[in-house]
Amino acid sequence: MSTRGRRHALRSRIEEVLPVPFRLPRVRAAVAVAAASALALSGCSTERESPGTGLGAAADCGGSTAQSFRQQYAQTWRQAGDAIGLPGLTPAAGTQVCEIDTARFAKDRPKKGYRIAFAAQGPTNAWATTNEEAFRYRARQRGAKVLYASANGDVNKQVDNVQQLVAQRPDALVVVPMGDAITGQVRAAASQGIPVVVCSGRLGEGSGAVSTVTRDYELQGTLWAEWIARRIGGKGKIAMLSGIAGVPTAELPKKQAEKIFAQRYPGIQVVAKQNTDWSATKAKTVAAQLLARYPDLKAVWSDSAITDLGVYEAYSQAGKPVPPVTGDVTNAFLKAVQGKDVPFALSAFPPEQSAQCLDTALDVLAGKKVPSQVNVNSAVFTDKQITQYVRPECSDDLAVPSALPADLLKKLKLC
Amino acid sequence: MTAPALEARGLVKRFPGVTALDGVDLVCRAGRVHALLGENGAGKSTLVKILTGNQPPDEGELRIGGTAVRLHDPRAALAHGVSAVYQELTVLPELSVLDNVMLGQEVSRRGLLSRDRQRDTARAALRRAGLGDLDPRTRAGTLSAAAQQLVEIARALVRGSRVLLLDEPSALLSGEGLSALHAVVRELAADGVAIIYITHRLEEVRALADDVTVLRDGRLVSTGPADAYPIDRIVREMVGRDVDAVFPELAEPGAEEVLSVRGLLPAGPGAAGPGLDLTVRAGEIVGVAGLLGSGRSRLLRTLAGVQPRAAGTVTVGGSPVRASLHAAVRAGVVLVPEERKTEGLVLDLPVRANTTLSSIGAVSPGGWLSAARERAAFEAERDRFGIRVSGPEQPTGQLSGGNQQKIVLAKWLRTRPRVLLLDEPTRGIDIGAKAEIYRIVAGLAAEGLAVVFASSELPEVTGLAHRVLVCQGGRVAGELTGDQINEERIMHLALGTSREAS
Amino acid sequence: MTTLTAGRAARFAPAGTLMPLSGLALVLVAAAVWTPGFYSEANLRLVLFQAGLIGVTAVGQTVVLLGRGIDLSVGAVMGLTTVIVATQTDGDGGKLPAAILLAVLAGIAIGAVNAGLVVLRGVPPFVATFAVFVLVQGAITAWTRGAAAGDIPHGLQTLGSGRVLGVPTPLWVFAGVAAVAAVVLARTGAGRRLYATGSNPRAARLSGIRTGRVIAAGYIASALLAVLAGLISAGYAGHVDAQLSRSLDLNSLAAAVIGGVALTGGKGHIGHTVLGVALLAVLIVWMLQLGAGTGGQLAVQGAAILLATWLRQRGPAAAGTR
């Protein structure tokens, strides 16, 4: 039910205090990528050993390919904003996308296909199950062999997993990080010449990963904040509800949103910041208290549709109109509010992004140039488009819209 | 004459509503064993607390080696060479014997003691405490109660005690353990330690004491050399009246065989051999004697279904009884355990609740606990046994040992048992209450109950039983009836030195 | 002497309820001073709902604690109940009775496993019930593959979100459960057996009380009340909350302990539990209002437990030296 949330619950809090990876500290202004590229030369020359590039992998941040990668990255932001009427969004300050030369990883495809190690979360919730199935499905399509290991949501287990996977000498390693504690193991794998793709999450500095493929957390936070600001006309009281305190999936979008509210919308007053632990029950309790205390609350910024479900329950039960809410996507929320007057804007953190992680790994093995950072495209929509996305016949847990074929969804008991 | 090792004059200690000590004197000399006697509540424990610095006296003077001292806390007492060994063992079972002996002494005033020095000191103390053969690295928890007691004495010796208080050291001991303890006490006295020895077992006074002090109701009754104290004088002075008959007349047993045991063998290590055959008639009292560890308790507990049987049958009134506690209780076989406070009673519950503990169903018609019925049951038992309590709500833990034991008896008698098993029925009970318990047991037998009791006190076995079984090494070594019952024959059988052992 | 006085104070003297009562008064006053909005009708209703939800499980926890046990599997049973109701009914109210029956059977089974481990195998209750918690959690994950499908029937919403005379239904349920438990504990033979067993299991057993059955009944009662709480919770959220079955819900334990039920068994009564529940519910909602994060809330709860146990340790010891 909780989509990606739980996955990061065990993540080390260290990540909070470490500099967020892939950022150039010097590039401060909220500039567009194009502007950033002008600074790129000086920036990148000193950042050779920076997180995105890491050990050995040759990074080029100034070349034409790098520039096109950056444009692609900026494109994903623009598209996401356009989808809900927020034109001209640009990547967050400090986002750095470079070109990684993967020639030294290139190898011929063996007869039985490449062997790709997949250090996964393990089937602890629907999001993770789908994340794995999407990876396997894509691997079958592309004729790759998967060496799988489940961390069962535990970063310590994943440390062992990565070690064991590396011992099997895979052609590449895709890891869905459970926490920064695996950084050492990932670096060890990289130093043995195994290309590593970090998938659906981020790792701290010096992981040595070739590329990071994930939905941009800052984009999520930006979309939700900007939409709310526009919806309430830039002024009024709002509440911010995030998942689990200290978990990057909750903290990074929140930090980004706070920055936006503070810098761009002085008329917006954030009257409450609370955690819901991505539990609808807890969210309902929190929301019930909010509506009692702040009858004039204009909107609820939230990082999860699970939280929104609780907010919806609390307001509708109290007989009050539900304020505009934001979050990622769950079918449960869409099913609950379909046909009701609930304004919302959602942006998915799709489990199927693992397929894109695999593609990137295969690109590396083929010797193609890859970006150091890939922002995964996802569905961004508001209550106006609900009918396009809701799947009343499917499970509450289905991550809509799903890219997986119907028979696979049926097998997973999601539809 | 040199000054006494310890001299207390006119000690007074008042608690709200009660004067626990009222002008008590006590003079102990080096090299002598001083028996401190008195019933529970006579003031012995208060006196011990004052002497060990646990409580300050309200009035009175204390001299140690002739010097007046004030003992503000236990450490001050230790510094003056006064230490105590209590009835409740304070040995830490997880530590080694060495660590237990050196407890609190690890650092000397001169600095850190070396491990070797420590070991030597501990060895010497253990030797003096009669544990010279023991490996100091042994885990204390594995030792017998008797040996643990001696470890505590060794601990006191390490502290250089000149005055040693032993508070009922023999309560847990019998036979060999007791002799070992006595030997150590005598030896320590010979070394010049002044020993204050508190006991309820009057035979020990004869065997051990040089001087006697008797307390009653917080007052000093008399003090003097032990020769001047025959048992009847001690009893008279402790109780405050003549207890001419500690043991009541026993009625003749009936003819009906109530309990019949064939080949009973308690389960456990070394469960072998022919097992126990025993028949007890209605109204008969059978005593089970034997040294500690001879299997007395195990026998009773197996009969009561508390411990499993390896073999054998038990029948009550002709019907076989399965080897389970509940089957035994249903058949009317009930056990008054040795550990009264931990196995016999729920001390936190009020007396009324303990009285009906085994017959909750009888006072709960339809499952509803009837306060009226419970009260009536409690009052009936209180009157029947003369239990001294302030009221039905009094917590059971506040009662004296004798009154607690009466509640345990009452608890079981409410279930109308046919066979009453008593394990050390008067342990830790003062002499006046002992006599009462004996009378109650004899009275119950006269009403037709079959009684089997185990005891480490020989006078109790010879005085209360129609018949005596003597256990040795886990089996029955012999059976004595009528005129055959005397302490000497019991001891021979118990030690395996008897020619007539069967 | 110390334990003695403590025992008496806990069960008979009003002193045992004085501390949670004054704690409750203190928190209520503090809330009034710092958070004026606290006494709004909607907010009080939230407090009452919280009290109802926590209270139902706290009564079960009290029964287990009195028998010298502890039940850490409460949260898992609640979670399992919501999952069972969701998967079996998928929102169809007609299937609700069958689903509830199934949940009750599951509850009995879990209670019986707890009891079996504790009574027959002698596993320490803390370990046994924690293992069962993990086991049930794992079973839920394996069964649903992390994705609990299905919907909660509308019928349950009356139980979780309804109101009677303006008061949330869960509080009425709690009141009923507490009243029944209070009567059973104080006025029946079964209650007496439980207190005896918890105070001194050996003596109780040797007195002919079937302590194993008494303890087992306690765990089963606790599990069944957890099922009831699971139904309330499902009715409140209206959706399956996967988070619920994963959290080691210790509110029931906290409430009982804050109220003054002893962890050492045999001491305490439902009055204590009710006070503890009230105190905890007020505290939780007040913390929410203050905007304390989950960490802050937990810290305050922990502090309350520590304070409660510390005060209990101290009070009797001071009085016990006479």
Coordinates of all heavy atoms in Angstrom, one line a residue, chain A residues 1 6 123-126 129 133 273-275 277-282 284-286 288-289 292-293 309 313 317 336 395-397 412, chain C residues 35 40 42-43 46 50 141 143 145-151 157 161 233 236-237 239-243 246 288-289 291 293-294 297:
Chain A
M1 N 0.8 -1.2 0.0 CA 0.0 0.0 0.0 C 0.9 1.2 0.0 O 0.9 2.0 -0.9 CB -0.9 -0.1 1.3 CG -1.7 1.1 1.3 SD -3.4 0.8 1.0 CE -4.0 2.2 1.9
R6 N 7.9 3.0 2.5 CA 8.6 2.1 3.5 C 10.0 1.7 3.1 O 10.8 1.3 3.9 CB 7.7 0.8 3.6 CG 6.5 0.9 4.4 CD 6.9 1.2 5.9 NE 7.8 0.1 6.4 CZ 8.2 0.1 7.6 NH1 7.9 1.1 8.4 NH2 8.9 -0.8 8.1
P123 N 10.2 -8.3 -1.7 CA 8.8 -8.1 -1.9 C 8.1 -7.7 -0.5 O 7.3 -8.4 0.0 CB 8.2 -9.4 -2.4 CG 9.2 -10.4 -1.9 CD 10.5 -9.7 -1.8
T124 N 8.5 -6.5 0.0 CA 7.9 -6.2 1.3 C 6.6 -5.3 1.1 O 5.9 -5.1 2.1 CB 8.9 -5.3 2.1 OG1 9.4 -4.3 1.3 CG2 10.0 -6.2 2.6
N125 N 6.4 -4.8 -0.1 CA 5.1 -4.1 -0.3 C 4.9 -4.1 -1.8 O 5.7 -4.6 -2.6 CB 5.1 -2.7 0.2 CG 6.2 -1.8 -0.3 OD1 6.6 -2.0 -1.5 ND2 6.8 -1.0 0.5
A126 N 3.7 -3.6 -2.2 CA 3.3 -3.7 -3.6 C 4.2 -2.9 -4.5 O 4.5 -3.4 -5.6 CB 1.9 -3.2 -3.7
T129 N 7.3 -5.1 -5.0 CA 7.0 -6.2 -5.8 C 6.9 -5.8 -7.3 O 7.5 -6.5 -8.2 CB 5.6 -6.8 -5.4 OG1 5.7 -7.0 -4.0 CG2 5.4 -8.2 -6.1
E133 N 9.2 -7.0 -10.5 CA 8.6 -7.6 -11.6 C 8.8 -6.9 -12.9 O 9.1 -7.5 -13.9 CB 7.1 -7.8 -11.4 CG 6.7 -8.9 -10.3 CD 7.3 -10.2 -10.6 OE1 7.4 -10.6 -11.8 OE2 7.6 -11.0 -9.7
K273 N 3.6 21.4 10.4 CA 4.4 20.4 9.6 C 4.3 19.1 10.5 O 4.8 19.1 11.6 CB 5.9 20.9 9.5 CG 6.1 22.0 8.5 CD 7.5 22.4 8.5 CE 7.7 23.7 7.7 NZ 9.0 24.3 7.9
Q274 N 3.8 18.1 9.9 CA 3.7 16.9 10.7 C 4.1 15.7 9.9 O 4.1 15.7 8.6 CB 2.2 16.7 11.1 CG 1.7 17.9 11.8 CD 1.1 17.6 13.2 OE1 1.0 16.5 13.6 NE2 0.8 18.7 13.9
N275 N 4.3 14.6 10.6 CA 4.6 13.3 9.9 C 3.4 12.4 10.0 O 2.7 12.3 11.0 CB 5.8 12.6 10.5 CG 7.1 13.4 10.2 OD1 7.5 14.2 11.1 ND2 7.6 13.3 9.1
D277 N 3.8 9.0 8.8 CA 4.4 7.7 8.7 C 3.8 6.9 7.5 O 3.8 5.7 7.5 CB 4.2 6.9 10.0 CG 4.9 7.6 11.1 OD1 5.7 8.5 10.9 OD2 4.6 7.2 12.3
W278 N 3.2 7.6 6.5 CA 2.6 7.0 5.4 C 1.5 6.0 5.8 O 1.4 4.9 5.3 CB 3.6 6.3 4.5 CG 4.4 7.4 3.7 CD1 3.9 8.4 2.9 CD2 5.8 7.5 3.7 NE1 4.9 9.1 2.4 CE2 6.1 8.6 2.8 CE3 6.9 6.8 4.2 CZ2 7.4 9.0 2.5 CZ3 8.2 7.2 3.9 CH2 8.4 8.3 3.1
S279 N 0.9 6.3 6.9 CA -0.3 5.5 7.4 C -1.5 6.3 7.3 O -1.6 7.4 7.8 CB 0.0 5.1 8.8 OG -1.2 4.8 9.5
A280 N -2.5 5.7 6.6 CA -3.8 6.5 6.4 C -4.5 6.7 7.7 O -5.1 7.7 7.9 CB -4.7 5.7 5.4
T281 N -4.3 5.8 8.6 CA -4.9 5.9 9.9 C -4.3 7.1 10.7 O -5.0 7.9 11.2 CB -4.7 4.6 10.8 OG1 -4.9 3.5 9.9 CG2 -5.6 4.6 11.9
K282 N -3.0 7.1 10.7 CA -2.3 8.2 11.4 C -2.7 9.5 10.7 O -2.9 10.6 11.3 CB -0.8 8.0 11.3 CG 0.0 9.1 11.9 CD 0.8 8.6 13.2 CE 1.3 9.8 13.9 NZ 2.7 10.1 13.7
K284 N -5.3 10.3 9.1 CA -6.7 10.8 9.4 C -6.7 11.5 10.7 O -7.3 12.5 10.9 CB -7.6 9.6 9.4 CG -9.1 10.0 9.6 CD -10.0 8.9 9.5 CE -11.4 9.3 9.9 NZ -12.4 8.2 9.8
T285 N -6.0 10.9 11.7 CA -5.9 11.5 13.0 C -5.3 12.9 13.0 O -5.8 13.8 13.5 CB -5.1 10.6 14.0 OG1 -5.7 9.3 13.9 CG2 -5.1 11.1 15.4
V286 N -4.2 12.9 12.2 CA -3.5 14.2 12.1 C -4.4 15.3 11.4 O -4.5 16.4 11.9 CB -2.2 14.1 11.3 CG1 -1.6 15.4 10.9 CG2 -1.2 13.2 12.1
A288 N -7.6 15.3 11.3 CA -8.8 15.6 12.1 C -8.4 16.7 13.1 O -9.2 17.6 13.4 CB -9.3 14.4 12.9
Q289 N -7.2 16.6 13.6 CA -6.7 17.6 14.5 C -6.5 18.9 13.8 O -6.8 20.0 14.3 CB -5.4 17.0 15.2 CG -4.7 18.0 16.1 CD -3.6 18.7 15.3 OE1 -3.0 18.1 14.5 NE2 -3.5 20.0 15.6
A292 N -9.7 20.8 13.1 CA -10.2 21.4 14.3 C -9.5 22.7 14.7 O -10.0 23.7 15.1 CB -10.1 20.4 15.5
R293 N -8.2 22.6 14.5 CA -7.4 23.8 14.9 C -7.3 24.9 13.9 O -7.3 26.1 14.3 CB -5.9 23.2 15.2 CG -5.0 24.3 15.7 CD -4.2 23.9 16.9 NE -3.5 25.0 17.4 CZ -2.2 25.0 17.6 NH1 -1.5 23.9 17.3 NH2 -1.6 26.0 18.2
L309 N -5.4 10.1 1.5 CA -6.6 9.3 1.8 C -7.1 9.6 3.2 O -8.3 9.8 3.5 CB -6.2 7.8 1.7 CG -7.2 6.8 1.6 CD1 -8.2 7.1 0.5 CD2 -6.5 5.4 1.4
E313 N -10.6 11.3 4.3 CA -11.5 10.7 5.3 C -11.9 11.7 6.4 O -13.1 11.8 6.8 CB -10.9 9.5 5.9 CG -10.8 8.3 4.9 CD -12.1 7.6 4.8 OE1 -13.0 7.7 5.7 OE2 -12.3 6.9 3.8
Q317 N -15.7 13.2 6.7 CA -16.4 12.8 7.8 C -16.9 13.9 8.7 O -18.0 13.9 9.3 CB -15.6 11.9 8.7 CG -16.4 10.9 9.5 CD -15.5 10.1 10.3 OE1 -14.6 9.4 9.7 NE2 -15.6 10.1 11.6
A336 N -11.1 6.1 -4.0 CA -11.9 6.7 -2.9 C -12.5 8.0 -3.3 O -13.6 8.3 -2.9 CB -11.0 6.9 -1.7
S395 N -6.5 -3.5 -7.8 CA -6.2 -3.4 -6.3 C -5.9 -2.0 -5.9 O -5.4 -1.1 -6.7 CB -4.9 -4.3 -6.0 OG -4.4 -3.9 -4.8
D396 N -6.2 -1.7 -4.6 CA -5.8 -0.4 -4.0 C -4.3 -0.1 -4.2 O -3.9 1.0 -4.2 CB -6.1 -0.4 -2.5 CG -7.6 -0.2 -2.3 OD1 -8.3 0.0 -3.3 OD2 -8.0 -0.1 -1.1
D397 N -3.6 -1.2 -4.3 CA -2.1 -1.0 -4.2 C -1.5 -0.8 -5.6 O -0.3 -0.5 -5.7 CB -1.5 -2.3 -3.6 CG -1.5 -2.2 -2.1 OD1 -1.2 -1.1 -1.6 OD2 -1.8 -3.2 -1.5
L412 N 0.1 -10.9 -10.4 CA 0.6 -10.3 -9.1 C -0.6 -9.9 -8.2 O -0.5 -9.3 -7.2 CB 1.3 -9.0 -9.5 CG 2.7 -9.2 -10.2 CD1 3.3 -7.9 -10.6 CD2 3.6 -10.0 -9.4
Chain C
T35 N -2.2 25.4 24.5 CA -2.9 25.2 23.3 C -4.3 25.5 23.5 O -5.1 24.6 23.7 CB -2.7 23.7 22.8 OG1 -1.4 23.3 23.2 CG2 -2.8 23.6 21.3
S40 N -11.5 22.5 21.8 CA -12.6 22.6 20.8 C -13.3 21.2 20.7 O -12.7 20.2 21.0 CB -12.0 23.0 19.5 OG -11.3 21.9 18.9
A42 N -14.3 19.4 18.2 CA -13.7 18.4 17.3 C -12.4 17.8 17.9 O -12.2 16.6 17.7 CB -13.4 19.1 16.0
N43 N -11.7 18.6 18.6 CA -10.4 18.1 19.1 C -10.7 17.1 20.3 O -10.1 16.0 20.4 CB -9.6 19.2 19.6 CG -8.1 18.8 19.6 OD1 -7.6 18.4 18.6 ND2 -7.5 18.9 20.7
L46 N -11.6 13.9 19.0 CA -10.4 13.1 18.6 C -9.8 12.4 19.8 O -9.3 11.3 19.7 CB -9.4 14.1 17.9 CG -8.3 13.5 17.2 CD1 -8.8 12.6 16.1 CD2 -7.4 14.5 16.6
Q50 N -9.3 8.4 20.2 CA -8.0 7.8 20.5 C -8.1 7.0 21.8 O -7.6 5.9 21.9 CB -6.9 8.9 20.8 CG -6.4 9.5 19.5 CD -5.6 8.6 18.7 OE1 -4.9 7.7 19.3 NE2 -5.5 8.7 17.4
T141 N 2.7 -10.3 5.1 CA 3.4 -9.9 3.9 C 3.5 -11.0 2.8 O 3.2 -10.7 1.6 CB 4.9 -9.5 4.3 OG1 4.8 -8.5 5.3 CG2 5.6 -8.9 3.1
W143 N 1.4 -13.5 2.5 CA 0.0 -13.7 2.0 C -0.4 -12.7 1.0 O -0.9 -13.0 -0.1 CB -0.9 -13.8 3.2 CG -2.4 -14.0 2.9 CD1 -2.9 -14.6 1.8 CD2 -3.5 -13.5 3.7 NE1 -4.2 -14.6 1.9 CE2 -4.6 -13.9 3.0 CE3 -3.6 -12.7 4.8 CZ2 -5.9 -13.6 3.5 CZ3 -4.8 -12.4 5.3 CH2 -6.0 -12.8 4.6
R145 N 1.6 -10.5 -0.4 CA 2.8 -10.1 -1.2 C 3.0 -8.6 -1.0 O 3.2 -7.9 -2.0 CB 2.6 -10.4 -2.7 CG 2.6 -11.9 -2.9 CD 3.0 -12.3 -4.3 NE 4.4 -12.0 -4.5 CZ 4.9 -11.9 -5.7 NH1 4.2 -12.1 -6.8 NH2 6.2 -11.7 -5.9
G146 N 2.7 -8.1 0.2 CA 2.9 -6.7 0.5 C 1.8 -5.9 0.0 O 1.7 -4.7 0.3
A147 N 0.9 -6.4 -0.8 CA -0.2 -5.6 -1.3 C -1.5 -6.2 -0.8 O -2.1 -7.1 -1.4 CB -0.2 -5.7 -2.9
A148 N -2.1 -5.6 0.2 CA -3.3 -6.0 0.7 C -4.4 -5.5 -0.1 O -4.7 -4.3 -0.1 CB -3.5 -5.5 2.2
A149 N -5.0 -6.4 -0.9 CA -6.1 -6.0 -1.8 C -7.4 -5.9 -1.0 O -7.5 -6.5 0.0 CB -6.2 -7.0 -3.0
G150 N -8.4 -5.2 -1.6 CA -9.7 -5.3 -1.0 C -10.1 -4.0 -0.3 O -9.2 -3.1 -0.1
D151 N -11.4 -3.9 0.0 CA -11.9 -2.7 0.6 C -12.6 -3.0 1.9 O -12.9 -4.1 2.2 CB -13.0 -2.1 -0.3 CG -12.4 -0.9 -1.0 OD1 -11.6 -0.2 -0.4 OD2 -12.9 -0.6 -2.2
Q157 N -17.7 1.3 9.2 CA -17.5 2.7 9.5 C -18.2 3.2 10.7 O -17.8 4.1 11.4 CB -17.8 3.6 8.3 CG -16.8 3.2 7.1 CD -16.4 4.4 6.3 OE1 -17.0 5.5 6.4 NE2 -15.4 4.2 5.5
S161 N -16.0 5.2 13.0 CA -16.1 6.6 12.8 C -17.5 7.2 13.3 O -17.7 8.4 13.3 CB -16.0 7.0 11.3 OG -14.8 6.5 10.8
S233 N -10.3 0.2 14.0 CA -9.3 0.9 13.3 C -9.6 0.8 11.8 O -9.5 1.8 11.1 CB -7.9 0.3 13.6 OG -7.0 0.7 12.7
Y236 N -12.3 3.1 11.1 CA -11.9 4.5 11.2 C -11.2 5.0 9.9 O -11.6 6.0 9.3 CB -11.0 4.7 12.4 CG -10.4 6.1 12.5 CD1 -11.2 7.1 12.9 CD2 -9.0 6.3 12.3 CE1 -10.7 8.4 13.0 CE2 -8.5 7.6 12.5 CZ -9.3 8.6 12.8 OH -8.8 9.9 13.0
A237 N -10.2 4.2 9.5 CA -9.4 4.6 8.3 C -10.3 4.4 7.0 O -10.1 5.1 6.1 CB -8.1 3.8 8.2
H239 N -9.8 2.1 5.1 CA -9.0 1.4 4.1 C -8.0 0.5 4.8 O -7.7 0.7 6.0 CB -8.2 2.5 3.2 CG -9.1 3.4 2.5 ND1 -9.6 3.1 1.3 CD2 -9.6 4.6 2.9 CE1 -10.4 4.1 0.9 NE2 -10.5 5.0 1.9
V240 N -7.4 -0.4 4.1 CA -6.4 -1.2 4.7 C -5.2 -0.4 4.9 O -4.8 0.4 4.0 CB -6.0 -2.4 3.7 CG1 -5.4 -3.5 4.6 CG2 -7.1 -2.9 2.9
D241 N -4.7 -0.5 6.1 CA -3.5 0.3 6.4 C -2.3 -0.6 6.7 O -2.2 -1.2 7.7 CB -3.7 1.2 7.7 CG -2.6 2.2 7.9 OD1 -1.5 1.9 7.3 OD2 -2.8 3.1 8.6
A242 N -1.5 -0.8 5.6 CA -0.4 -1.8 5.7 C 0.6 -1.4 6.8 O 1.2 -2.2 7.4 CB 0.3 -1.9 4.4
Q243 N 0.6 -0.1 7.0 CA 1.5 0.4 8.0 C 1.2 -0.1 9.4 O 2.1 -0.4 10.2 CB 1.4 1.9 8.0 CG 2.6 2.7 8.6 CD 3.8 2.4 7.7 OE1 3.8 2.2 6.5 NE2 5.0 2.3 8.4
R246 N 2.6 -3.3 10.6 CA 4.1 -3.4 10.7 C 4.6 -2.6 11.9 O 5.8 -2.8 12.3 CB 4.7 -2.7 9.5 CG 4.4 -3.5 8.2 CD 5.5 -3.3 7.2 NE 5.1 -4.0 6.0 CZ 4.3 -3.6 5.0 NH1 3.8 -2.4 5.1 NH2 4.1 -4.3 4.0
L288 N 0.2 16.1 19.0 CA -0.1 16.4 17.6 C -0.3 17.9 17.4 O 0.2 18.5 16.4 CB -1.4 15.6 17.2 CG -1.2 14.2 16.6 CD1 -2.6 13.7 16.3 CD2 -0.4 14.3 15.4
Q289 N -1.1 18.4 18.3 CA -1.4 19.9 18.2 C -0.2 20.7 18.3 O -0.1 21.7 17.7 CB -2.4 20.2 19.3 CG -3.8 19.8 19.0 CD -4.8 20.9 19.4 OE1 -4.7 21.4 20.5 NE2 -5.6 21.2 18.5
G291 N 2.5 20.0 17.3 CA 3.2 19.8 16.1 C 4.5 19.0 16.3 O 5.4 19.1 15.5
G293 N 7.0 16.1 16.1 CA 7.2 15.0 15.1 C 7.0 13.7 15.8 O 6.8 13.6 17.0
T294 N 7.0 12.6 15.0 CA 6.8 11.3 15.6 C 7.8 11.0 16.7 O 7.5 10.4 17.7 CB 7.0 10.2 14.5 OG1 6.2 10.6 13.4 CG2 6.5 8.9 14.9
Q297 N 6.9 12.7 19.8 CA 5.7 12.1 20.5 C 6.2 10.8 21.2 O 5.8 10.6 22.3 CB 4.7 11.7 19.4 CG 4.0 12.9 18.8 CD 3.2 12.5 17.5 OE1 2.8 11.4 17.4 NE2 3.1 13.5 16.6

